[in-house]
Amino acid sequence: MRPPSTQNLPSDEPGETSAVRAVEFIRRMRGASQPQLLRAADGDYYVVKFSNNPQHSRILANEMLAGRLALLLDLPVRAPAFIEVSAELIAGNQEMEFEIASRHVPCAAGLQFGSSYPGQPGQFLVVDFLPDRLLRRAEGLAPVFAGALVFDKWTCNCDGRQMIFTRPAADEYAAYSPWMIDHGFCFNDGEWNFPDSPIRCLYPRRLVYESVRGFQSFEPYLSRVENLEARQIERCGEGIPDQWCGDQPGEIHRLLERLYERRRRVRQALVDAKNSDLRPFPNWR
């Protein structure tokens, strides 16, 4: 698949993702893929993952595809983008490298994956943990986490569900907004298969599932997945560069077919989770 040009592109459809040029290194971010926070020519900031990251060559494809699928379901994810990173920017910033064992490896130049950062750094508070009293007050807590579980069961996210919570830094009384992040381990990481498990994908803080009473608690996301058309899913795979897809880039077409086939299995996956030893839904009788 041919990558898009690096001008600003409209992103009204999942397959039409913005492409922008990185112009400034801000800082390194936490995470096993060792992402970087960069400012782009459009004035926005992006958490960028690189094609030579220490995790897997398909991490970028997974992030782009999963981000588009989540947007298709109207789930709260940061907008995905193609980020063009120049060799000059990397050469001029010593911290743009990976630490792998005792080695230091420069980040790759070229087209990379970016996830939009929530606002300008310093103007928004971004955390990945909230105490119970604040977590319960997060905007749309129950539907967001129910929708995230539907999504993770469908895409076979083999990592724990990762979330960030944001609010304006100047307003300490504002409720936090939850965002789904880190989708590189969807589709079983770089394997692009679906070894389902009843206990996989569950968020460790069980209070987020207290309002679950039955299948209706997973709406509208459950019905949205079940009613997706093949063409909608196919569009989410458009424009993903071959070099992001590993040694056999054509396998992405089979991956999209499998996602379409799995739409009607999510309901049973939720039942299996309910009946697992973890008993994550205490109020679903």
Side-chain angles (χ1 to χ4, degrees), residues 8 20-24 38-46 83-84:
N8 271 341
V20 290
R21 178 173 52 88
V23 296
E24 182 183 5
L38 307 179
R39 183 174 64 86
D42 61 358
D44 290 335
Y45 295 79
Y46 295 87
I83 306 295
E84 180 68 31

Side-chain angles (χ1 to χ4, degrees), residues 179-198:
W179 299 91
M180 298 164 55
I181 63 166
D182 283 353
H183 302 109
F185 277 44
C186 288
F187 327 117
N188 195 28
D189 191 13
E191 299 300 319
W192 284 4
N193 56 25
F194 299 90
D196 295 313
S197 168

Side-chain angles (χ1 to χ4, degrees), residues 12 16 32 39 48 65 79 91 101 112 115-116 133 155 160 171 179 182 214 217 227 233-234 239 243 245 251 261 279:
D12 296 333
E16 298 177 354
R39 183 174 64 86
V48 177
L65 177 56
Q112 316 300 337
S115 177
S116 65
R133 64 180 182 84
T155 60
D171 186 358
W179 299 91
D182 283 353
S217 300
N227 293 317
I233 297 173
E234 289 169 3
Q243 59 267 32
C245 298
E251 288 186 357
E261 294 166 359
R279 303 292 177 182

Side-chain angles (χ1 to χ4, degrees), residues 208-221:
V208 303
Y209 302 128
E210 287 177 346
S211 65
V212 172
R213 299 293 191 274
F215 288 125
Q216 70 277 9
S217 300
F218 297 96
E219 297 295 351
Y221 305 105

Side-chain angles (χ1 to χ4, degrees), residues 26-146:
I26 304 300
R27 65 172 181 265
R28 299 173 67 174
M29 304 291 286
R30 291 186 300 166
S33 64
Q34 300 185 35
Q36 315 261 329
L37 182 62
L38 307 179
R39 183 174 64 86
D42 61 358
D44 290 335
Y45 295 79
Y46 295 87
V47 178
V48 177
K49 294 188 177 183
F50 290 81
S51 56
N52 63 332
N53 73 85
Q55 287 187 312
H56 198 282
S57 60
R58 285 176 168 173
I59 290 293
L60 277 66
N62 290 356
E63 289 278 10
M64 181 61 73
L65 177 56
R68 288 169 165 180
L69 291 170
L71 287 175
L72 188 62
L73 300 177
D74 200 24
L75 284 165
V77 292
R78 304 305 306 173
F82 293 103
I83 306 295
E84 180 68 31
V85 182
S86 68
E88 291 76 15
L89 183 65
I90 295 169
N93 292 277
Q94 187 175 358
E95 290 188 80
M96 292 188 70
E97 63 179 13
F98 300 116
E99 296 179 8
I100 304 175
S102 59
R103 297 183 299 124
H104 292 259
V105 179
C107 296
L111 203 63
Q112 316 300 337
F113 171 82
S115 177
S116 65
Y117 190 79
Q120 185 172 343
Q123 293 186 359
F124 278 80
L125 185 63
V126 181
V127 299
D128 57 13
F129 176 85
L130 291 175
D132 287 359
R133 64 180 182 84
L134 293 179
L135 182 58
R136 292 181 187 279
R137 291 177 48 210
E139 294 180 346
L141 180 72
V144 166
F145 277 89

